[in-house]
Amino acid sequence: GHKYTDKKYREIDEVLYELVGVRIRWNILGKDKQERRGGAALLSGFEVKDGMCEYDYSELLREKLANPRIFARISLTIQNKFNSKHSLALYELLADYKGINHTPWILIGDFRELMGLDENQYTRFKDLKYYVINRALKEINRDSNLRGSLEIKKQGRRISEIRFHIK
């Protein structure tokens, strides 16, 4: 048998431990038309015993995972063409709203959250647009079945919200 000290077993432990720290938020854009927003840890816990791994998620997250209507169907072939996690995140957003040809207006903070950005990444909109939005749209428009374009809403001189048009 394998000793638990083997490198691959330690790596599995590290990944599982990291998953306990991953946080999930839902209904950021209020798509399900309810005043419910929420979040949970991806895994509430895990235990490896005698070569078997047991894990658990919260009851709140279990309800979300059991409801497939909240997930957009995304082609793995298209997914695998993207080089950037931002391209994949934006593609998922566009795919979710392709039936109505545009996303709702999204506050910049909510968009940053949807893209998985930390509060200190691309804090200026100019950088967010160049490094995240434009690069992701270029990949999506080149490598997928969707075409997206950006629309900006300003409040005074400040950009307050964005939305994407989808073809």
Side-chain angles (χ1 to χ4, degrees):
H2 295 284
K3 289 193 174 22
Y4 193 68
T5 55
D6 285 352
K7 184 180 176 200
K8 68 179 173 182
Y9 291 102
R10 285 196 314 270
E11 287 173 2
I12 290 169
D13 259 17
E14 283 304 307
V15 169
L16 289 166
Y17 188 72
E18 284 176 25
L19 289 176
V20 171
V22 171
R23 295 176 304 185
I24 307 287
R25 290 187 75 170
W26 53 84
N27 203 23
I28 291 169
L29 301 180
K31 185 173 186 224
D32 73 5
K33 305 282 188 260
Q34 296 180 7
E35 286 297 315
R36 291 177 9 169
R37 292 169 68 121
L42 181 57
L43 292 183
S44 59
F46 76 93
E47 184 175 59
V48 179
K49 185 176 172 188
D50 297 328
M52 295 292 290
C53 173
E54 288 186 28
Y55 57 91
D56 200 15
Y57 4 105
S58 78
E59 192 60 42
L60 286 169
L61 189 55
R62 187 178 329 223
E63 290 172 19
K64 304 295 176 242
L65 294 172
N67 185 357
R69 79 175 172 77
I70 64 171
F71 300 105
R73 292 180 61 85
I74 296 171
S75 158
L76 289 175
T77 309
I78 291 172
Q79 240 182 58
N80 290 332
K81 289 181 181 177
F82 297 140
N83 295 317
S84 149
K85 71 176 186 178
H86 303 133
S87 298
L88 180 56
L90 184 56
Y91 179 80
E92 289 174 354
L93 177 67
L94 298 182
D96 205 23
Y97 287 94
K98 71 181 178 199
I100 57 171
N101 301 323
H102 61 80
T103 66
W105 285 104
I106 305 168
L107 294 169
I108 299 301
D110 287 345
F111 179 75
R112 294 171 52 74
E113 193 173 321
L114 288 167
M115 294 298 108
L117 297 172
D118 294 332
E119 61 270 1
N120 58 353
Q121 287 181 288
Y122 309 115
T123 53
R124 294 177 8 202
F125 183 78
K126 183 173 106 173
D127 294 331
L128 179 70
K129 184 178 176 203
Y130 181 80
Y131 292 105
V132 178
I133 298 170
N134 288 352
R135 288 183 174 182
L137 282 174
K138 184 178 177 185
E139 262 198 309
I140 290 164
N141 291 342
R142 183 188 66 216
D143 296 333
S144 83
N145 58 329
L146 298 178
R147 301 291 169 269
S149 60
L150 175 67
E151 183 179 0
I152 292 170
K153 187 188 281 185
K154 288 186 174 185
Q155 205 165 35
R157 294 179 56 185
R158 206 181 116 261
I159 290 153
S160 57
E161 297 176 88
I162 59 175
R163 77 173 173 180
F164 295 90
H165 293 270
I166 308 151
K167 293 181 181 163

